[in-house]
Amino acid sequence: MMGISWQAIYVLWLREMKGMWRAKSRVIGSLGMPMFFLAFLGLGFGGASIPGMPEGLQYIEYLTPGIIGMSMLFSSVFAGISVLWDKEFGFLKEVMVAPVSRLSIVLGRTAGGSTVALMQGIMVLFLSTLLGFKIAGVIPVILSLFFMCLISVTFVGLGLVFASVMRDMHGFPLIMNFVVFPTFLLSGALFPIGALPSWLIPVCYLDPLTYGVDGLRGVLLGAGASDFSVLLNFMVISAISIGMVSVGSYLFERTEVER
Amino acid sequence: MDAIEVKDLTKRFNSKGSVAAVDHLSFRVAESEIFGLLGPNGAGKTTLIKILTTLLKPTSGMATVAGYDVHTEKNRVRESIGIVFQEPALDWRLTGRENLDFHARMYEIRRGEREKRIEEALKLVELEDKADIMTDKYSSGMKRRLEIARGFIHNPKVLFMDEPTLGLDTQTRRRIWDYIKEVNARERITVVLTTHQMEEADYLCDRVGIMDHGKIIALDTPRNLKDLISSDLVSLELNMEGSSNDVEVFKSLDFVTEFREHNGFVTLKMERADLRIPAIMEVAKRAGIEIISVNLRKPSLEDVFLHFTGRRIRE
Ligand SMILES: Nc1ncnc2c1ncn2[C@@H]1O[C@H](COP(=O)(O)OP(=O)(O)OP(=O)(O)O)[C@@H](O)[C@H]1O
Ligand SMILES: [Mg+2]
């Protein structure tokens, strides 16, 4: 249809940044859950032997990439779905009558939501060092940022898909319980997928977060810590993120503000 | 070229059986005109505005805004219009200035120009000193003024305003009317506004379409509409508990050209009503009808609405 409007993408992103900055306490507060997970699971299972764990890894090391993935999953899906808040507060109409392509709107929102999720991921990463996680150097951190970006884009896209098919926020708990939590639990964030019954394993391979978390492990902990190669993880999650944003924009384009 | 052209436009919300919210409408709005849509709740005003601003798809018929088809040339239409929605549409996490800045950037106005226009717009709606506080701290009048400023900041050809003064006090309403007039005069912007206040339509609009049940039942200048019922109107408020309320006696007066009865009020239409009032009082007295008050007036748009629909606008 129309091209991409960089100005629109930028201003939608900027709006999200301002919103985040003004809700600093909420952003900090949302670090609570991942930190509790890290602290309690990390300490609780620290000495346990977990089947399928790569040799020579502390549980906290294994766990940290998983919890980074979890916190980004939650905040990304939420960022995507929050289009519904704009609808409720009337602001979506202001966005929808603007003469910019719907793709630009989707990209702007994705950029904004992903940045928020990315910040959280980075904060979890650095806070985890307080609990004994060791960062191996600058390169691993930079590589992990790529994976974090891809994870957040994927799940903001998923959130937009839900926002396009839902009328209001009422369905949100349903999605949390039946989509977001299973996505988290099946991704191998907490323990190796191999420990699950064999019939569940294919389902894990359909879970985009599996590749995100495994990729994070590969870059942060070294090749021995991941199931797949970093490159494979990278390619799979890249493809999924592009697919997800495309489906999100397609559906978003078709939803009018009202029928 | 007309600013707006609507042909046989229809919108049904559910395909089967439901009544049409907009029912085979046709009309035109000329360039730089202030055009009013006047109608009671549920008349279809907002639905019509949503179709014209590309937010709703019509069921059938066609409409163009600034020469572009609202269905097939959505983006062209969007480039040409500004909107003040009936419901507030501000981002409450942003300040007034930031809301305008967001808007100006969405419409790709360049930096220098952007800042200049934002400043001008804030000045016009007298919000310069409140520009940097969050809009959730604004009063509803301030929000409305900010939205009006936002509506024309990108120099639209056509500005739509859905009940721009809804819920505002008289003083604020007056000020908003003046902004609308000023913007219209200064920028030659075509303005389409909806209202259910007669006074507003009368004061602001070059032409008014009276809308009811999805149809425009009369369309003309406020003056001509009022001239349709050229005679004077005498309203009598009756004591319904009085000894008699046989209002039919008023019909027997030969100078009464029209007679309406409504909730204890009787409205009589006649020429030179100032000379007739004694005779009316006389007839009432003889018939034992108690009159509480008498009101003589030139017809208002309210009477025009009553004339066309047989109902008052607010019921
Ligand atoms: N989304 C919708 N779904 C179903 N019916 C609708 C919808 N929106 C409006 N309607 C119906 O269409 C008719 C016209 O509504 P509309 O909002 O256009 O009226 P209006 O003239 O703007 O009224 P008001 O003065 O109250 O704003 C009403 O009967 C309303 O119930
Ligand atoms: Mg309305």
Side-chain angles (χ1 to χ4, degrees):
Chain A
M1 192 175 85
M2 280 175 284
I4 286 175
S5 159
W6 295 105
Q7 185 75 261
I9 295 176
Y10 169 70
V11 72
L12 284 161
W13 174 84
L14 186 66
R15 170 177 177 248
E16 222 61 48
M17 292 304 100
K18 285 180 175 161
M20 175 178 77
W21 184 248
R22 283 165 196 171
K24 285 187 284 292
S25 55
R26 211 196 61 214
V27 177
I28 308 278
S30 65
L31 290 174
M33 181 159 75
M35 292 322 289
F36 286 138
F37 264 89
L38 271 182
F40 287 95
L41 294 179
L43 295 175
F45 292 109
S49 82
I50 292 162
M53 273 259 299
E55 288 293 307
L57 276 188
Q58 295 288 312
Y59 183 59
I60 186 77
E61 294 177 302
Y62 185 83
L63 184 65
T64 297
I67 298 301
I68 293 174
M70 175 196 82
S71 76
M72 299 186 71
L73 165 72
F74 288 2
S75 72
S76 302
V77 170
F78 184 77
I81 288 191
S82 65
V83 169
L84 289 171
W85 283 124
D86 283 349
K87 190 169 177 179
E88 206 135 315
F89 287 107
F91 193 73
L92 189 60
K93 280 186 294 210
E94 152 77 0
V95 176
M96 296 302 266
V97 293
V100 298
S101 65
R102 309 297 102 165
L103 178 62
S104 311
I105 296 175
V106 168
L107 292 179
R109 279 218 82 103
T110 308
S114 304
T115 309
V116 175
L118 188 64
M119 303 275 203
Q120 290 196 358
I122 294 170
M123 285 190 269
V124 173
L125 174 61
F126 285 105
L127 288 173
S128 71
T129 58
L130 302 176
L131 295 166
F133 186 78
K134 282 181 275 307
I135 292 178
V138 181
I139 306 281
V141 171
I142 292 173
L143 292 178
S144 74
L145 291 184
F146 281 101
F147 275 99
M148 289 191 215
C149 285
L150 292 169
I151 294 173
S152 52
V153 169
T154 301
F155 291 108
V156 174
L158 184 66
L160 284 172
V161 170
F162 289 131
S164 305
V165 296
M166 285 158 58
R167 291 193 121 250
D168 49 40
M169 273 291 197
H170 289 309
F172 187 62
L174 211 66
I175 286 180
M176 281 308 280
N177 291 336
F178 291 96
V179 180
V180 177
F181 270 100
T183 301
F184 164 49
L185 294 171
L186 289 170
S187 69
L190 298 179
F191 50 81
I193 292 170
L196 288 169
S198 57
W199 59 269
L200 251 180
I201 292 179
V203 186
C204 299
Y205 289 155
L206 290 176
D207 180 348
L209 192 60
T210 303
Y211 304 93
V213 168
D214 198 53
L216 281 175
R217 282 195 185 115
V219 296
L220 286 171
L221 304 171
S226 61
D227 289 349
F228 305 114
S229 73
V230 169
L231 189 64
L232 178 71
N233 282 320
F234 181 79
M235 290 196 309
V236 173
I237 188 125
S238 299
I240 295 175
S241 65
I242 293 170
M244 206 66 98
V245 172
S246 312
V247 176
S249 6
Y250 172 75
L251 291 175
F252 190 73
E253 170 116 39
R254 292 186 348 143
T255 50
E256 288 176 77
V257 172
E258 279 175 57
R259 291 155 311 134
Chain B
M1 189 193 65
D2 287 322
I4 294 177
E5 189 187 346
V6 172
K7 259 206 216 120
D8 216 24
L9 195 70
T10 301
K11 175 72 189 180
R12 276 174 219 285
F13 279 101
N14 313 307
S15 46
K16 281 200 194 85
S18 67
V19 285
V22 169
D23 195 1
H24 298 281
L25 267 191
S26 301
F27 65 94
R28 285 161 185 273
V29 177
E31 251 174 77
S32 67
E33 182 175 27
I34 301 185
F35 182 85
L37 286 163
L38 176 68
N41 291 138
K45 306 181 295 292
T46 299
T47 306
L48 175 58
I49 297 256
K50 281 189 176 157
I51 295 172
L52 295 179
T53 56
T54 75
L55 288 176
L56 262 182
K57 200 173 138 209
T59 310
S60 64
M62 68 82 92
T64 65
V65 173
Y68 302 114
D69 190 295
V70 294
H71 186 48
T72 59
E73 295 168 295
K74 283 201 181 79
N75 208 51
R76 291 266 178 224
V77 173
R78 287 174 186 149
E79 281 169 359
S80 320
I81 60 173
I83 311 169
V84 177
F85 298 101
Q86 182 170 349
E87 316 282 333
L90 294 170
D91 187 344
W92 51 271
R93 298 178 307 173
L94 299 180
T95 66
R97 190 190 306 278
E98 286 169 341
N99 266 289
L100 297 185
D101 185 69
F102 178 91
H103 184 85
R105 284 176 194 267
M106 287 296 267
Y107 287 76
E108 312 229 316
I109 303 171
R110 308 220 166 280
R111 169 176 296 196
E113 185 69 10
R114 193 165 66 221
E115 279 151 14
K116 197 179 107 224
R117 285 203 214 161
I118 290 175
E119 230 34 70
E120 274 174 16
L122 285 169
K123 196 155 165 236
L124 178 71
V125 298
E126 299 166 86
L127 282 174
E128 302 122 296
D129 52 335
K130 305 280 186 193
D132 294 309
I133 61 175
M134 297 296 153
T135 51
D136 62 348
K137 304 269 190 311
Y138 276 29
S139 71
S140 48
M142 287 158 67
K143 284 185 188 151
R144 217 62 189 140
R145 272 143 61 195
L146 186 70
E147 293 194 303
I148 290 174
R150 184 174 69 181
F152 63 78
I153 212 162
H154 55 286
N155 281 345
K157 294 202 184 85
V158 184
L159 178 58
F160 292 91
M161 295 198 237
D162 201 353
E163 312 215 14
T165 61
L166 187 72
L168 303 181
D169 62 40
T170 327
Q171 206 188 341
T172 315
R173 195 160 69 204
R174 283 269 160 195
R175 289 234 292 285
I176 287 183
W177 289 353
D178 293 337
Y179 306 142
I180 296 174
K181 284 214 167 197
E182 190 171 336
V183 171
N184 167 256
R186 197 171 64 182
E187 321 269 350
R188 314 297 302 145
I189 293 180
T190 309
V191 177
V192 175
L193 61 88
T194 75
T195 179
H196 48 224
Q197 305 166 56
M198 301 294 165
E199 213 194 333
E200 182 160 287
D202 207 355
Y203 181 80
L204 273 179
C205 300
D206 298 315
R207 287 191 309 148
V208 175
I210 296 183
M211 205 171 167
D212 195 24
H213 298 307
K215 289 189 158 70
I216 288 185
I217 48 182
L219 196 167
D220 214 325
T221 62
R223 211 205 145 90
N224 285 348
L225 286 173
K226 285 185 283 186
D227 280 352
L228 282 176
I229 38 177
S230 64
S231 348
D232 300 338
L233 294 166
V234 173
S235 281
L236 307 172
E237 186 185 351
L238 305 182
N239 182 356
M240 299 307 274
E241 268 86 61
S243 49
S244 161
N245 44 35
D246 175 24
V247 295
E248 301 291 313
V249 296
F250 295 115
K251 280 187 181 166
S252 64
L253 292 163
D254 56 1
F255 54 78
V256 171
T257 55
E258 214 180 293
F259 168 94
R260 278 180 195 283
E261 191 195 350
H262 197 89
N263 291 343
F265 283 85
V266 167
T267 304
L268 307 172
K269 201 194 277 185
M270 67 198 71
E271 307 283 343
R272 291 309 305 270
D274 46 341
L275 303 178
R276 308 294 191 187
I277 291 201
I280 296 171
M281 300 308 282
E282 188 62 37
V283 166
K285 197 169 178 190
R286 250 188 282 132
I289 297 173
E290 263 181 62
I291 296 178
I292 299 171
S293 69
V294 180
N295 178 16
L296 186 165
R297 65 201 149 94
K298 302 287 172 194
S300 69
L301 282 177
E302 178 86 47
D303 300 304
V304 177
F305 188 80
L306 190 64
H307 175 83
F308 279 106
T309 66
R311 294 182 293 123
R312 290 191 169 269
I313 199 157
R314 288 183 193 273
E315 322 216 283

